[in-house]
Structure formats: structure tokens, C-alpha cells
Amino acid sequence: MQKQAKNLQSSKDISIKIPLTKLVTLLVVLGFITLLVSHSQFTHLTHLRVWATREVPIAFWAWQTTNPSQKDVQKAISATKAKDLFIHAGQIDYVLANGRLRRIRQADGILPNSIALHLTYNATVDLLRNLEKVTPKQLADIITQCYQEDVRRVNETAATVVGIQLDIDFPTRLLPKYMELLGLLRSQLPINTKISITGLPTWINSPKLKETLAKVDFWIPQCYGTEIPKQLTRLSPISSLEQVNQAIETSRNLGYPFYAGLSAYGYAIRFNKNGNFVQIRGDIDPAEIITNTSLELVERQLFTAKSSNLSANEWCYLYKVREDLVIDGLNLKAGESIMLDLPTSEALRANIQVVRETAGEQLLGICIFRLPTEGNPTNLTIAEISDAIKDINSSIATEVNLLSMSKGKTTELQLTMKNTGSANPLMGDDSFNIDLEVPIGRITSLYLGNAVVAKPLCGALNGVTEKSQLTPCSLQRANVIRFAAKYLRPGEELKVVIEILGEVPSRITSILSINLDNGRTWQEKRNLLVRKG
């Protein structure tokens, strides 16, 4: 028994020594593996592909009720090398009376033929409210029917349709229904049809999102429009650097091909007397608001940003309604407020930089909402968008002309100011200024439009680097008149007429000053030649 006990003890001693040796070896191996994994993860993060400015493909959304002209599309192609256009082809509506589905608001006009088209269909409010009553097959059938009809019409033109996109804001809980709809569409459409969807920020944390994305060729997460401000006390921008960064990082980690959807548009929001949301409009010319004397500008500032790059944000303009009025069909009551959210090239530029640096290999390109078109003043111009894509500052260029015409004892001096650059000035009385030397006591009258304010000044017209010595005075004593344009967007011009007693000199000294929407001020002194008319 003692021997057995001794042998047992010896065996215990041996059994303890051997696992300890193995344990040390195992710990060394595990530590090495951990280092490898950590290094691999670090290498992946530090070697995440950063896209060069010229590498990222560009696409646009066109969302107006009339198809964009060939001219507008060609300008976008020339400026950005865009190859794809997601064009609104109509809305799917739910008829409350009988529960049937139909297509409404089909865009009018000829489709452009120099770019690959993706026909995009969205849903009306009535359909979104009744999605649970509609089967995926009903939706698939009506969408397929609309798409086939549109493709047949397109085939009679020189345009090219390559795909279909759904912009249907399914609630997150109904993503399985969306998956079924997309599966049916895949079986009903030609095999070479590219199918894509837009993505809501609220879907990001859903476990069903990956399964939904597996049904399409690619998707476009919308990195903007997370919420529309419902109260004056809680204003928020259409887009922000933080919002874009979060959306792109999440999209990259999902591992499915995507375009980054970025915004280049603005809108106007009407609030009632209590500061509550009433109405939103995305088609009102900001100039209609800034030049209306029944509206008072009470606040102009960049939206608050967590980023240190404050200029990379949108501008907020808040107006108080002094009296009842109507602006382009928007009914405003005295005491109400209207807020303008205007985009900037600097903000788009910063957002594009975030995409280039964080999107990784799954990025297919950047899709910009919306395509700039003639007569759409709420959007960034194609020149501003092009500068943002190229990661360069917007160009500052102005054209100022003086034309004199003799009217007997008086001379009519016509001043024309034009913004020929891509840089956008702020809105307000100090937007685009020109100080013009004039003969003292000989100004008989001024003819101004609603967009220009004239300020008579006395003193020395110094160089742009010197402190101004001009002070307000009467028109009779003034030797300088400051013409302040309330808003002069790129490509626009303004004219004023100065009636002067007697003749005018052949050259007149002036100082131009522009307060830009990137927060900087540009100035230049010029000796203007007076042409005779």
C-alpha cells in the first residue's frame, strides 16, 4: 500500500509537470496567434483603400417631373465624367377606394441618350401607409408592368436603360416583405437587368438587411435626410460629416456593393407661430425669399457641427413673416417663420472626402442628389459640384461693366455685375458688394431692382488691405455709392442705373467685395473702363 501510494504520488508529480510545460507552449502559441490577428486587423484598417479624386465614378439622381434635357445631362457628363443617371419614372400609388395599385406622376419629356439610365420608382404616402395590406406579388406585378412599358418606349429612342431602382421606404419590420418583392422582380425581369434599391438609415441595425441586400446587384444608402426638423428649436441640416461618416462605415462593413448617396440640394420649411412644422418645399427660389420685403432675416448661420471644419456644413437662414403673403404657391401667415437650408460646395467636398477615405473596395461610386438643371436654383450648380468632386476651392470670378449713354444734360450710367465663377456668396445685404466712386453732388437718381440695395458713402476709397474710412452720408454729399446685391449666385447678373448730371470720366475706381458661403471674404480693387453707348 505504501509503495502504491508512493507510485501514485510520483505519477501525480509527473502529471503536474507535463501539463505545465504544454501550457507554457500553448500560451506562447496563443500569444503569437493573437499578435498575428491584431496585426492583420490593424493592417486592414491602415491599408483601407483611399480612392483618388479621379478614381471615383459619379452618378446622379434626377427627380423632377420633367425629364432633364440632353443639354443638362451633357454638362454634367463633361464636368464630372458621370456615366449613370437614376431617373424618376413615377410613383406607385395605393387607391384607397378599392385597394388597387397604379402608377402616377410619370415624368414627361424625352429621356437623355448619352448616359446609362436606371428607371427609379418610389411609393406615395398612401401606399406606404398601406404596405401591410399589399402582397409582394401585387407590387412586383405593377412595377414590372411599368418598367416594361417604359423600356418599350425607350427602345424607340436612342436612350439606354440598364436597370431598375426601387426607392420604397419599407419600415424596418417589413424588410422580409421587401426581400420577397425583390426576389419576384428578379424572376420577372430580363436577366441582364440591374436591380438596385435605396437604403434608409433606420435599416442599418436590422439583421434582415444583409438578406435584403443579397437580392439586389447593389444599393445606395442615403447619407442625408435622416430627419426633417419638426420644430424651430430643433433645427438640423439635410446632411452632416458625422452622418455621412457613420453611414459609409456601416455600409462598408456590410460587405455589399454600394454607391454613396450624397446631397447637393436645399429646401424651405414653413413653421407656424408656435414654431411647429407645417410644410416643406424643395422648389422655391431662395432669391424669392431674400428679396421679399415682407420677410425679415432674423438669423443666418452655419448649422452647428461637431467637426472642427465648420465651413464644411450647410447654411441656415431663418426669416420672420411680417404680413400675410404668397411665394410661389406657398401661403405664409404673419408671425410664422420660414427656414432655408442651403447646400455648399465646401460641405459636399468634405462629404466626398469622407467617402473616398472610408468606403473601401465595395464602393461603386458616388450618386449625387440631384442633377443640376436649368431653372433649379435650390441645387448646387454643376460647377460647384465639379469643384467638390475634384477637391478644389470654388473659383472666384466677377465681371463688372460700365456703359454710359448721354441723355442731353444728364448721363445714364449702367452698371452690370455678374458672378462668373463657381463660388457662391452668402444671402443677405452684404452678399456681393461694389463700392463705386461717383462725382459729388451730381447724382440725380438711382434705379435699382429688388435684389440690390444702394448706400451713399463719404470718405476715401482705400485699397482692399487698408481700413475703410467710408461713412454713411446723404446722396447729395456722397462720393462713393455701395451697391449691395442681396444674392448673386454663379452665372447670374444684376443691373443698376445711375443718372448723373453732366458727363462721367472715362475710368472709375471701384472695390469689389464678396462674402462667400465658405465663411471667407474676397476683395479686389479695379479701375473700370466706361464704355460709351
Side-chain angles (χ1 to χ4, degrees):
M1 287 292 293
Q2 290 178 352
K3 187 177 180 180
Q4 289 177 346
K6 187 176 180 180
N7 289 338
L8 182 60
Q9 182 65 45
S10 298
S11 117
K12 283 183 181 179
D13 290 342
I14 293 172
S15 66
I16 290 173
K17 290 177 182 178
I18 293 174
L20 280 174
T21 304
K22 289 183 177 179
L23 181 60
V24 170
T25 304
L26 181 61
L27 287 173
V28 171
V29 172
L30 286 175
F32 182 68
I33 292 173
T34 302
L35 285 173
L36 284 177
V37 172
S38 299
H39 176 72
S40 175
Q41 290 176 340
F42 177 76
T43 301
H44 171 72
L45 290 174
T46 55
H47 286 79
L48 183 68
R49 177 181 179 179
V50 176
W51 293 69
T53 54
R54 295 176 182 270
E55 284 186 303
V56 184
I58 299 297
F60 286 92
W61 270 301
W63 214 250
Q64 57 268 36
T65 55
T66 301
N67 290 324
S69 68
Q70 186 67 36
K71 179 181 177 182
D72 287 330
V73 173
Q74 196 56 54
K75 285 172 65 176
I77 294 173
S78 299
T80 68
K81 311 301 181 189
K83 297 185 181 301
D84 290 86
L85 178 63
F86 296 83
I87 194 163
H88 189 235
Q91 285 187 296
I92 308 303
D93 184 42
Y94 180 87
V95 183
L96 296 175
N98 53 28
R100 299 180 68 177
L101 300 180
R102 60 177 179 173
R103 191 246 298 264
I104 63 172
R105 299 188 179 94
Q106 182 178 356
D108 298 324
I110 300 173
L111 288 167
N113 59 26
S114 54
I115 195 166
L117 301 177
H118 302 253
L119 303 183
T120 305
Y121 304 88
N122 69 333
T124 64
V125 173
D126 286 336
L127 174 57
L128 294 176
R129 288 173 177 169
N130 291 277
L131 277 175
E132 288 184 288
K133 299 178 183 178
V134 181
T135 66
K137 187 177 187 311
Q138 285 178 290
L139 280 169
D141 288 347
I142 186 66
I143 293 171
T144 299
Q145 177 187 333
C146 293
Y147 180 74
Q148 291 173 342
E149 289 175 356
D150 292 339
V151 169
R152 279 195 295 270
R153 281 194 294 270
V154 170
N155 287 340
E156 298 174 359
T157 70
T160 303
V161 174
V162 299
I164 183 174
Q165 181 174 89
L166 300 190
D167 179 38
I168 302 179
D169 297 341
F170 270 82
T172 307
R173 59 185 171 80
L174 293 182
L175 280 179
K177 197 168 190 174
Y178 206 2
M179 291 163 48
E180 188 177 348
L181 163 60
L182 294 169
L184 289 169
L185 276 181
R186 178 68 72 187
S187 65
Q188 294 176 192
L189 295 176
I191 193 169
N192 62 341
T193 304
K194 293 182 180 179
I195 300 177
S196 64
I197 60 172
T198 59
L200 292 177
T202 53
W203 295 351
I204 293 299
N205 297 319
S206 170
K208 294 295 182 181
L209 179 55
K210 282 192 173 183
E211 296 178 55
T212 305
L213 297 181
K215 299 289 185 180
V216 297
D217 294 285
F218 62 90
W219 69 304
I220 305 185
Q222 294 173 306
C223 309
Y224 58 89
T226 303
E227 62 175 326
I228 295 173
K230 297 300 181 182
Q231 293 179 321
L232 269 176
T233 55
R234 299 187 63 183
L235 297 178
S236 58
I238 294 171
S239 178
S240 68
L241 280 173
E242 291 73 28
Q243 184 180 350
V244 172
N245 187 69
Q246 182 179 5
I248 296 304
E249 283 192 352
T250 304
S251 300
R252 181 194 70 221
N253 292 333
L254 285 169
Y256 289 89
F258 70 96
Y259 278 84
L262 301 181
S263 64
Y265 69 97
Y267 55 43
I269 298 181
R270 174 189 169 197
F271 296 91
N272 64 20
K273 296 177 183 179
N274 297 322
N276 297 321
F277 173 89
V278 176
Q279 187 179 0
I280 184 171
R281 286 279 298 272
D283 57 351
I284 292 180
D285 187 345
E288 292 289 324
I289 294 175
I290 186 63
T291 58
N292 197 303
T293 56
S294 296
L295 298 175
E296 178 187 1
L297 178 63
V298 295
E299 187 175 343
R300 181 184 70 182
Q301 65 175 19
L302 284 165
F303 278 102
T304 303
K306 295 178 183 178
S307 168
S308 59
N309 186 4
L310 290 177
S311 64
N313 217 319
E314 300 160 14
W315 278 93
C316 171
Y317 297 84
L318 187 60
Y319 293 84
K320 201 74 172 178
V321 182
R322 291 172 172 170
E323 58 187 7
D324 295 357
L325 74 152
V326 179
I327 298 179
D328 194 13
L330 181 66
N331 294 299
L332 299 170
K333 304 294 182 183
E336 293 185 338
S337 300
I338 184 166
M339 185 272 287
L340 290 177
D341 183 337
L342 296 185
T344 68
S345 180
E346 193 84 4
L348 179 60
R349 177 183 178 183
N351 290 338
I352 290 174
Q353 184 177 359
V354 168
V355 174
R356 289 193 295 103
E357 293 177 354
T358 62
E361 294 289 347
Q362 294 295 337
L363 182 69
L364 296 178
I366 290 171
C367 190
I368 296 174
F369 188 85
R370 298 178 299 244
L371 175 76
T373 55
E374 191 172 345
N376 179 12
T378 65
N379 216 80
L380 290 179
T381 64
I382 194 61
E384 290 176 284
I385 291 173
S386 176
D387 288 343
I389 292 170
K390 295 173 183 175
D391 198 18
I392 61 176
N393 292 325
S394 295
S395 62
I396 303 170
T398 60
E399 186 178 295
V400 181
N401 292 306
L402 288 173
L403 178 65
S404 69
M405 290 176 285
S406 178
K407 300 293 183 180
K409 293 182 179 181
T410 62
T411 299
E412 188 177 277
L413 185 64
Q414 186 181 90
L415 168 65
T416 304
M417 304 173 285
K418 186 173 183 178
N419 184 352
T420 55
S422 60
N424 215 346
L426 291 175
M427 292 173 56
D429 289 346
D430 56 349
S431 174
F432 188 106
N433 303 328
I434 178 168
D435 291 351
L436 195 71
E437 279 192 334
V438 294
I440 299 174
R442 290 168 52 196
I443 305 297
T444 58
S445 59
L446 299 172
Y447 300 94
L448 312 171
N450 290 335
V452 181
V453 175
K455 301 176 181 178
L457 302 170
C458 293
L461 191 61
N462 295 327
V464 295
T465 60
E466 300 176 37
K467 187 176 180 180
S468 174
Q469 296 178 1
L470 297 172
T471 57
C473 61
S474 67
L475 187 60
Q476 289 72 29
R477 294 178 52 240
N479 67 307
V480 174
I481 296 181
R482 176 171 296 163
F483 295 99
K486 295 183 178 181
Y487 190 35
L488 195 61
R489 68 171 67 91
E492 288 194 342
E493 71 174 24
L494 292 172
K495 293 181 181 179
V496 299
V497 176
I498 312 166
E499 194 174 82
I500 301 174
L501 192 62
E503 296 183 354
V504 296
S506 60
R507 288 188 177 273
I508 295 178
T509 303
S510 68
I511 293 181
L512 280 75
S513 176
I514 304 175
N515 285 319
L516 301 165
D517 66 3
N518 60 14
R520 294 187 286 270
T521 299
W522 172 88
Q523 288 185 324
E524 184 176 85
K525 187 174 184 178
R526 295 183 188 175
N527 286 317
L528 301 174
L529 175 66
V530 180
R531 296 183 297 112
K532 292 186 179 294

